[in-house]
Amino acid sequence: MKIILFGPPGVGKGTQAKLLVEEFHSVHISTGDLLREAVKNKTNLGLKAKTYMDAGNLVPDEVVIGLIEEVLRSDEARENFILDGFPRTIPQAAALDALFEKLGIQLDNVISLDVDNEEIINRLSRRRLCRGCGRIYTITKVEADLKTCTQCGGEIYQRDDDKPEPVRRRLEVYQQQTQPLIEYYRKTNRLVPIDGMDEIGYVHKLILDAIYKDRKK
Ligand code: AMP
């Protein structure tokens, strides 16, 4: 299974990627997670990426392309992966296509998740994460003061870039730099649009149906 999960911030890419990873035992490649890990460990990459991320801007193309190239060179990832949050610009998509060609990788699908802007802002303001296992929560009013993860007991936190100002910037950046990729993948018949408004389990089912339908072709 070689899939790109595409869509605006907060659309549910991370949540759906985790479900697909369980289903297909794929390697989950999230550039956001890799960058956050680098920031946490204060590596050179992390120090370079932090200011961009805090402001809700994209990290420069050459930095993330180098990161992806490193991951996709591993035998395990090359055979079976879910790309989440990459590519995000036309140059990244072009570099990815060149890398696929070099490594002999045949992409199966680009799953494009879509929800309306109001719902994105609503979901991002309610998103919380577990520092221990990475579980993603969309908290309700009742859970507003959730402190520990119900799965592993880890600390629950809100990403700095899920606060209102960076969210506004991330949505702008999405519209300007990432949305043009829809046309890039549509032109080469690789785009599978999925309505992401429904609840998590149903959206997962829509994705699986689309993947299997495409395989039968
Ligand atoms: P995410 O967790 O996918 O929402 O990513 C969080 C932040 O990491 C983004 O707002 C960007 O600053 C950075 N980032 C993640 N993926 C990319 C990418 N493909 N290109 C550039 N910046 C990225």
Side-chain angles (χ1 to χ4, degrees):
M1 194 54 58
K2 300 174 192 81
I3 287 178
I4 294 177
L5 260 185
F6 177 83
V11 76
K13 296 189 294 295
T15 302
Q16 293 300 332
K18 284 186 169 58
L19 294 174
L20 291 173
V21 163
E22 259 173 49
E23 184 91 22
F24 297 113
H25 307 288
S26 326
V27 176
H28 180 192
I29 311 174
S30 155
T31 36
D33 285 350
L34 291 169
L35 291 167
R36 274 185 291 280
E37 190 62 23
V39 170
K40 192 171 98 189
N41 295 329
K42 299 196 169 75
T43 63
N44 278 344
L45 169 68
L47 295 174
K48 213 186 281 182
K50 188 173 181 333
T51 27
Y52 296 99
M53 295 172 77
D54 285 349
N57 287 318
L58 293 184
V59 173
D61 285 338
E62 64 276 13
V63 175
V64 277
I65 290 168
L67 194 60
I68 286 295
E69 180 153 5
E70 208 177 295
V71 179
L72 279 181
R73 280 185 181 281
S74 94
D75 288 342
E76 196 199 354
R78 192 186 313 185
E79 292 304 318
N80 186 3
F81 60 81
I82 313 285
L83 264 177
D84 158 12
F86 185 95
R88 262 171 150 110
T89 64
I90 297 278
Q92 288 180 22
L96 186 63
D97 277 340
L99 186 63
F100 283 163
E101 193 161 342
K102 192 158 78 178
L103 299 176
I105 293 172
Q106 186 82 41
L107 185 68
D108 289 308
N109 305 99
V110 180
I111 307 276
S112 169
L113 289 171
D114 196 26
V115 305
D116 60 45
N117 254 13
E118 211 175 302
E119 175 67 5
I120 286 177
I121 292 168
N122 174 13
R123 284 187 192 179
L124 286 176
S125 68
R126 295 192 290 128
R127 179 161 73 180
R128 300 291 183 275
L129 292 139
C130 169
R131 271 194 215 285
C133 66
R135 180 169 175 173
I136 303 165
Y137 291 86
T138 307
I139 55 159
T140 60
K141 270 192 187 137
V142 180
E143 297 165 322
D145 56 357
L146 187 70
K147 297 267 184 310
T148 52
C149 177
T150 55
Q151 191 166 277
C152 77
E155 184 199 351
I156 299 293
Y157 75 104
Q158 182 179 29
R159 274 170 50 174
D160 283 340
D161 64 352
D162 278 349
K163 297 187 177 150
E165 192 49 41
V167 162
R168 258 193 297 280
R169 179 65 194 143
R170 284 163 69 205
L171 289 176
E172 252 172 43
V173 165
Y174 173 78
Q175 268 159 14
Q176 288 162 2
Q177 301 189 55
T178 309
Q179 220 165 22
L181 288 179
I182 293 181
E183 204 40 43
Y184 180 91
Y185 286 116
R186 208 199 317 262
K187 267 200 252 164
T188 46
N189 283 328
R190 289 181 286 178
L191 196 78
V192 184
I194 298 281
D195 181 358
M197 286 297 278
D198 247 297
E199 59 90 25
I200 294 168
Y202 187 68
V203 175
H204 177 57
K205 183 185 170 306
L206 292 179
I207 295 176
L208 291 183
D209 288 350
I211 290 172
Y212 289 125
K213 190 168 146 216
D214 201 65
R215 294 216 136 184
K216 278 198 207 131
K217 274 188 200 162

